[in-house]
Amino acid sequence: MLVMNKLKLAVVLAMVAGLSACGGGSDEGGGGDPADVPLSAAPALVQQYAGLFNSARAQARTCGSVSTPAVPALEKWNPKMQQAAQKHADDMARNNFFSHTGSDGSDADSRNKSFGYQGLTVVENAAGGRGSPQAIMNAWMQSQGHCLGIMAELARSVALAQSGKYTVMVFGD
């Protein structure tokens, strides 16, 4: 089943490139990061979004034209991924652009690694408009690529950052 999930993730990552929901990742990792802590230790905004993510992940759904099963809840928060997500949100706000590629050419995986994250970067979603967590979550769930990212079975840890009108969510293994 893990092979199927990796295949499904690869398909998702290929599809989402044009949908502004791209995954990072590499073949390294696979066991999370030693810095992972219980989600209850996360900042309040991360916990609020994690509640929305976990509510969505708890039930099977159709993301665009792709059916997905319910997947395990996100249980951990990672401060290294948090720093990487914040760096990217701040970069987009400071330089007034919206992309998964940073102004320095970085992607989600390289940003996570630059802060010492040792796990697998499973997916990054970004939003470029203001709105409540529920409104941003609703928009992500209406986009096939973003929805599939949220439903990524390999994901176990989460980070989420905001700066100005930009929101960056990163899931790790």
Side-chain angles (χ1 to χ4, degrees), residues 7-82:
L7 176 60
K8 182 176 170 183
L9 181 60
V11 170
V12 168
L13 296 178
M15 288 182 350
V16 297
L19 296 172
S20 296
C22 67
S26 65
D27 291 331
E28 299 172 20
D33 182 271
D36 285 346
V37 297
L39 195 52
S40 60
L45 185 64
V46 175
Q47 290 185 41
Q48 183 179 7
Y49 270 93
L52 296 170
F53 298 144
N54 285 338
S55 184
R57 291 167 63 88
Q59 52 192 298
R61 65 183 57 253
T62 301
C63 296
S65 62
V66 180
S67 295
T68 64
V71 295
L74 302 164
E75 299 175 344
K76 298 178 182 190
W77 170 69
N78 188 284
K80 295 173 187 176
M81 283 196 321
Q82 184 70 36

Side-chain angles (χ1 to χ4, degrees), residues 72-148:
L74 302 164
E75 299 175 344
K76 298 178 182 190
W77 170 69
N78 188 284
K80 295 173 187 176
M81 283 196 321
Q82 184 70 36
Q83 289 177 292
Q86 191 65 60
K87 174 186 178 184
H88 190 50
D90 290 345
D91 182 29
M92 289 190 294
R94 181 175 39 259
N95 295 301
N96 196 31
F97 73 98
F98 181 69
S99 175
H100 287 283
T101 303
S103 63
D104 60 359
S106 64
D107 62 14
D109 195 46
S110 65
R111 285 188 291 273
N112 280 339
K113 284 186 175 21
S114 76
F115 284 99
Y117 181 70
Q118 297 175 30
L120 175 70
T121 303
V122 176
V123 69
E124 174 184 84
N125 280 354
R130 296 187 193 276
S132 69
Q134 186 65 60
I136 290 170
M137 180 66 174
N138 289 345
W140 281 339
M141 294 308 288
Q142 294 303 309
S143 160
Q144 180 171 308
H146 291 93
C147 177
L148 288 170

